[in-house]
Amino acid sequence: MKISFENPDKVNGLLTLTVEEADYKENVEKTLKNYRKKANVPGFRPGMVPMGMIKRQFGTTAKVDEINKLLGEQIYKYVKDNNIQMLGEPLPSDKQEPVDMEKEAPYTFMFDIAVAPEFKAELTGDDTIDYYTITVDDKIIDQQIDVFASRAGHYDKVEDYQANDMLKGDIRELDENGNTKEGGITVEGAVLMPEYIKVEDQKKLFDGAKLGDIITFNPKKAYPESDIEVSSLLKMKKEEVADLTADFSYQITEISRYVKAEVNQDLFDQVYGKDVIKDEKDFREKIAEGLKAQFAVDSDFKFIQDVRKYLVDKVGALTYPDALLKRIMLNNNKDKGEEFVEKNYEQSIKELTWHLIKEQLVKANGIKIEDADIEETAKEAAKAQFAQYGMNNIPEEYIENYAKDMLKKREYIDSFVDRSIDRKLTEILKNVVKLENKTATLEEFNKMMQAE
């Protein structure tokens, strides 16, 4: 097989492969012999069908299959052997002339290959990158304690209504005279939180309400933009409440008020495990320790984002084979069409640029990802997920089992590999560049992240 590669502008490559009969003949004959062994043709015993008949029936198909397989193997071998940094998949070239596979070899095939632009991305001690540490102050510790106390709270039965209380009562449809409508809609034990009523005059009807009071209100006026909320309250289908205009009475049979847990030993034990925390001072210190660890992850994330911005600016604008990359993108998103490609191409190029830069950084710093790195990243993800629900004292074996379950799902693997690379790259680069250490409150930090 003859292979030639043209790349005059460095980014648009044309790979030409000329296939001779000798390249595929032996494998095609093997395939046809296997066909012959399995062929079930009336009038012939198994394995005794004339080879001429097999060739006429299956010869071209076998040849096409073998040549396609051969082309795929040789393209990727050539790309690898010649260190061509190919972007995406090779596509049949517009310059390709029709190939008549019924005729004898040679056959010529041409493929367009998108090649990554040449550039150098590196960081040294002469490069300065900001590194933000989030301040853990009394205010944020108080906020976290409030979160813990809220999660560990409970409902008390009370006699009078206040904002955010939950009501339970019997709801009945009224007629035009304000009387209970005979055969009308009735729901017993309907749960209602007036604080979430969208219209202010309807919400005010519940102000100062007491146990046993009967409130007259209009569900459709209370939730004018949400038939779902009305249907949920009245235990009806959404379509059934579309034309509902009637007022309803609501007799309060129960008022429940959510009360936060007290900040005492019970809360300490619930959050961190029995007898781990001795007093409130210890509790606050433990919270501060957890927040610092959590915020360190956020600081590292911002650092790698700042590295990205710094290097993208340092490398400057890169030349890509735009027309070819758009063809590749369209080929990978045939169901979405050209409009999708045009809309998303610019962002895909930004992501591609960072991907190429990161590849150079990973190679330059000898970063390799082992199974242990991916497992550790999965465990950190599991801990973070539990922490979102205030579960900070999960036994290590549960964390490990949860992480193993996630690693069984393909959709998690790629993200864990990427995060493992980012973790290693971050730790290395923090020791390579000059860090401009800065502090920020959580509010300031979040504003910076939103601005990006």
Side-chain angles (χ1 to χ4, degrees):
M1 178 183 290
K2 295 178 182 177
I3 303 178
S4 63
F5 183 63
E6 301 171 44
N7 187 24
D9 64 358
K10 302 297 184 183
V11 292
N12 285 284
L14 178 65
L15 191 65
T16 303
L17 303 93
T18 302
V19 180
E20 303 287 351
E21 184 179 17
D23 296 322
Y24 60 81
K25 183 177 180 180
E26 183 178 346
N27 286 337
V28 170
E29 287 179 351
K30 286 181 182 179
T31 300
L32 292 176
K33 285 178 181 179
N34 286 331
Y35 282 169
R36 187 188 186 199
K37 290 177 183 178
K38 299 174 184 178
N40 186 7
V41 178
F44 297 95
R45 285 181 294 159
M48 300 302 290
V49 180
M51 183 56 77
M53 184 180 293
I54 294 293
K55 285 183 178 181
R56 285 194 299 275
Q57 189 169 354
F58 301 108
T60 301
T61 300
K63 181 167 64 173
V64 170
D65 289 345
E66 185 57 39
I67 288 176
N68 283 334
K69 178 183 174 183
L70 183 65
L71 288 172
E73 291 172 350
Q74 291 302 313
I75 288 172
Y76 286 101
K77 184 177 184 301
Y78 185 90
V79 166
K80 182 180 179 181
D81 291 347
N82 291 275
N83 295 315
I84 299 170
Q85 194 171 8
M86 181 170 66
L87 303 176
E89 299 291 318
L91 291 182
S93 176
D94 292 337
K95 297 178 181 179
Q96 175 73 55
E97 295 182 357
V99 178
D100 187 352
M101 302 298 286
E102 297 289 348
K103 293 183 177 179
E104 294 183 358
Y107 309 112
T108 299
F109 301 92
M110 307 174 81
F111 293 89
D112 290 326
I113 291 181
V115 181
E118 295 179 3
F119 68 94
K120 188 174 180 64
E122 61 179 347
L123 290 169
T124 69
D126 294 328
D127 297 296
T128 301
I129 309 287
D130 291 340
Y131 189 86
Y132 285 89
T133 300
I134 302 171
T135 306
V136 178
D137 53 22
D138 286 339
K139 179 183 177 183
I140 200 167
I141 293 174
D142 289 340
Q143 290 173 345
Q144 188 60 55
I145 290 175
D146 189 65
V147 170
F148 287 144
S150 295
R151 285 175 178 162
H154 62 278
Y155 278 98
D156 280 347
K157 300 293 187 291
V158 295
E159 298 291 321
D160 57 335
Y161 169 77
Q162 292 180 10
N164 293 313
D165 286 350
M166 183 170 66
L167 305 180
K168 185 180 284 187
D170 300 332
I171 190 167
R172 293 178 173 84
E173 186 179 2
L174 304 178
D175 61 22
E176 62 274 8
N177 297 317
N179 299 316
T180 300
K181 183 178 179 180
E182 187 175 348
I185 301 165
T186 300
V187 181
E188 294 184 356
V191 175
L192 180 65
M193 290 189 75
E195 189 65 21
Y196 294 105
I197 288 178
K198 303 296 189 291
V199 179
E200 199 62 32
D201 63 349
Q202 292 291 312
K203 183 190 296 187
K204 283 183 175 297
L205 295 172
F206 293 85
D207 288 353
K210 293 181 175 53
L211 196 64
D213 283 358
I214 298 175
I215 311 296
T216 298
F217 80 117
N218 189 299
K220 286 286 284 189
K221 291 180 180 178
Y223 307 102
E225 298 176 359
S226 179
D227 283 351
I228 293 176
E229 290 186 73
V230 177
S231 63
S232 176
L233 176 66
L234 300 179
K235 309 297 183 190
M236 300 170 65
K237 293 180 180 178
K238 180 183 174 183
E239 298 76 20
E240 294 174 334
V241 303
D243 299 321
L244 190 67
T245 59
D247 287 342
F248 283 74
S249 65
Y250 186 85
Q251 183 168 18
I252 301 172
T253 58
E254 188 178 286
I255 304 176
S256 299
R257 182 168 301 153
Y258 193 76
V259 180
K260 296 176 185 177
E262 292 185 25
V263 181
N264 55 24
Q265 192 64 46
D266 287 341
L267 181 62
F268 306 157
D269 291 348
Q270 187 170 339
V271 174
Y272 291 110
K274 193 166 180 61
D275 298 329
V276 174
I277 305 297
K278 304 302 181 185
D279 52 33
E280 188 170 348
K281 178 176 178 293
D282 200 11
F283 188 47
R284 295 180 71 86
E285 288 175 353
K286 188 72 171 176
I287 289 173
E289 179 186 321
L291 288 171
K292 285 177 182 176
Q294 176 185 327
F295 292 159
V297 175
D298 296 332
S299 295
D300 284 351
F301 178 76
K302 176 161 177 53
F303 170 74
I304 205 69
Q305 294 302 109
D306 288 343
V307 166
R308 171 177 176 164
K309 183 177 185 304
Y310 180 86
L311 277 174
V312 167
D313 291 342
K314 187 177 181 180
V315 167
L318 298 176
T319 300
Y320 286 98
D322 295 318
L324 179 51
L325 285 179
K326 286 181 180 181
R327 279 176 58 204
I328 293 172
M329 193 172 176
L330 180 61
N331 189 60
N332 293 332
N333 297 275
K334 293 177 181 176
D335 57 324
K336 297 176 181 176
E338 292 184 6
E339 186 177 346
F340 171 84
V341 173
E342 292 299 329
K343 183 178 179 181
N344 293 278
Y345 181 73
E346 184 177 349
Q347 184 59 37
S348 73
I349 288 298
K350 289 179 181 178
E351 296 302 323
L352 176 58
T353 299
W354 170 235
H355 173 75
L356 295 174
I357 289 173
K358 191 159 73 167
E359 274 190 342
Q360 289 194 24
L361 295 176
V362 167
K363 185 177 180 180
N365 290 284
I367 294 174
K368 294 182 179 179
I369 300 301
E370 310 290 347
D371 288 345
D373 298 314
I374 301 171
E375 289 168 9
E376 187 60 32
T377 298
K379 285 167 65 176
E380 290 300 320
K383 288 178 184 176
Q385 203 160 328
F386 284 122
Q388 286 182 343
Y389 300 100
M391 302 166 71
N392 299 285
N393 57 337
I394 304 296
E396 188 65 23
E397 63 178 293
Y398 286 101
I399 296 290
E400 289 181 359
N401 288 335
Y402 192 81
K404 286 177 182 177
D405 285 340
M406 287 194 289
L407 288 170
K408 291 176 183 176
K409 300 175 182 177
R410 184 70 223 176
E411 64 266 27
Y412 285 113
I413 301 295
D414 291 341
S415 66
F416 287 155
V417 170
D418 286 341
R419 285 160 69 177
S420 297
I421 291 171
D422 284 348
R423 285 174 64 186
K424 282 196 170 185
L425 189 59
T426 298
E427 288 308 309
I428 289 173
L429 293 182
K430 284 195 294 186
N431 292 306
V432 170
V433 301
K434 180 181 178 182
L435 296 180
E436 186 71 37
N437 289 300
K438 298 182 178 182
T439 59
T441 65
L442 181 60
E443 184 179 358
E444 291 169 341
F445 186 85
N446 286 338
K447 284 182 179 177
M448 284 189 287
M449 294 303 294
Q450 289 168 4
E452 294 178 2

